[in-house]
Amino acid sequence: MKEGPDISRIAALIGDPARANMLTALMAGKALTATELAAEAGVTAQTASGHLAKLRDGGLVQVRKQGRHKYFALAHGDVAATLEALMGLAASELRTRTGPKDAAMRQARVCYNHLAGQRGVQMFSCMLGRGDLREDGEDVTITPQGAAFAADFGVDLEALSSARAPLCRACLDWSERRTHLAGSLGRAMLTRMEEMRWLRRDPDSRVIAFLSTGEMAFQQAFPLD
Amino acid sequence: MKEGPDISRIAALIGDPARANMLTALMAGKALTATELAAEAGVTAQTASGHLAKLRDGGLVQVRKQGRHKYFALAHGDVAATLEALMGLAASELRTRTGPKDAAMRQARVCYNHLAGQRGVQMFSCMLGRGDLREDGEDVTITPQGAAFAADFGVDLEALSSARAPLCRACLDWSERRTHLAGSLGRAMLTRMEEMRWLRRDPDSRVIAFLSTGEMAFQQAFPLD
DNA sequence: TTCATACCTCGATCATAGCCGAAGCATATG
DNA sequence: CATATGCTTCGGCTATGATCGAGGTATGAA
């Protein structure tokens, strides 16, 4: 035994219901304060403080102090991807009781900071199919054709490329069990769609609602097959 | 709160050190008996029995009864992929103390039932680059050219295709942070390499050792760029 | 300054669950 | 048949850790 990294340490971190609720809430991508996360987890502020310190020590969340508030967010995209993988396992056991919100969640939702669900998979698959993106192993790269599309879409690739974060990244979708686009380009695409009023984000959950005009524009931009 | 599947339930399952050790041991791909797993976890048989029942109820492992033995294995490839993702997170926190065995683990190891590590990524990337495989989102498909290569390699694709398990599948490598080939083809390729005596599996760990002739043959079959 | 809010530390309580000894089935071997 | 092995259930012990109340320290507002 004792092979590879200590998997149980961080699995135990996610294994507590309160902490799992916090992490799930952070999957929406927005940074939240300690008290907001306490409410999300259903515990008092003191308890939440202890949990958040552990998550921080474990490297799962990052913290930014702003005045008397402390904003927490997921540390990086890998954490979000791992949480999605866990959700995939949990969902496969639990075929029963698909809540009312689940249908909307499966269709379109926020994953960390990018588009996920059926729509996210559709966008990624379409862009891959027409040659905007190229997938080589885990690495996803953008083609010149894709760069032209992004510019036309209103995304400033120059600004994104200069940042440290990877431009494109593959993320496994737990509901569709296929890949969708993460990375700074994925984030920018979602932001742009919000700017263009294609969709609206539910402030209290991860659900994304497409407006009727946005739905049409999306289907035209990323047609199925 | 209460969005999506209950992530904490199965994270807690992996979060116990004894159970994590068992799952890590099962990542080697071989089915193990309850007593073997007890030794692997460092607990008595009674304790192990309880743990294994929980893992089974959680859908993480499958069990096969054979005589007076009970053989346990990972339930399916998704479990292995999730464990790899967790290892990736745990490894990123723990840059310190890279044990002596870690170097060998990073180079080549068994992931559930297929080749992982630097060699696994190399094989996948090479096959993708020369057009043996095609990656469309999470789905990986084999091309006619790839089918010809597989036949030449000594893999019976007909037999694999008839099985229920997917032929090709992408699995994220925790040490390389890139994709390697899973699925029944990934399993068959590793088996074939073992048959051809390219490599030898350490019976007590996940480490794979390439023999000198096998190393040369591998580099010729899957050259870097 | 005074007050309120956001967050943290300390200490005590309490429940969960991991652990093992003992004993009980089931299956193989002699 | 008797005996050994593999696995399980039961009961009790124990420790870990989640929880909250009380009290303390920053930050911002009045």
Side-chain angles (χ1 to χ4, degrees), chain B residues 57-92:
Chain B
D57 291 346
L60 293 184
V61 302
Q62 64 181 136
V63 56
R64 198 178 32 167
K65 216 170 143 182
Q66 207 161 98
R68 60 179 167 180
H69 295 275
K70 249 185 163 177
Y71 284 94
F72 292 87
L74 296 186
H76 48 263
D78 288 351
V79 178
T82 305
L83 292 176
E84 280 272 320
L86 282 169
M87 287 182 188
L89 281 190
S92 65

Side-chain angles (χ1 to χ4, degrees), chain A residues 124-126 128-129 135 178-179, chain B residues 134-141:
Chain A
F124 182 73
S125 185
C126 173
L128 205 69
E135 195 171 22
R178 294 184 56 188
T179 306
Chain B
R134 235 181 79 78
E135 195 171 22
D136 176 18
E138 177 71 4
D139 297 328
V140 177
T141 52

Side-chain angles (χ1 to χ4, degrees), chain A residues 1 11 40 78 138 177 179, chain B residues 1 11 40 78 138 177 179:
Chain A
M1 60 190 208
E40 202 72 40
D78 289 349
E138 175 71 5
R177 292 180 170 270
T179 306
Chain B
M1 60 192 207
E40 203 72 41
D78 288 351
E138 177 71 4
R177 293 181 169 271
T179 306

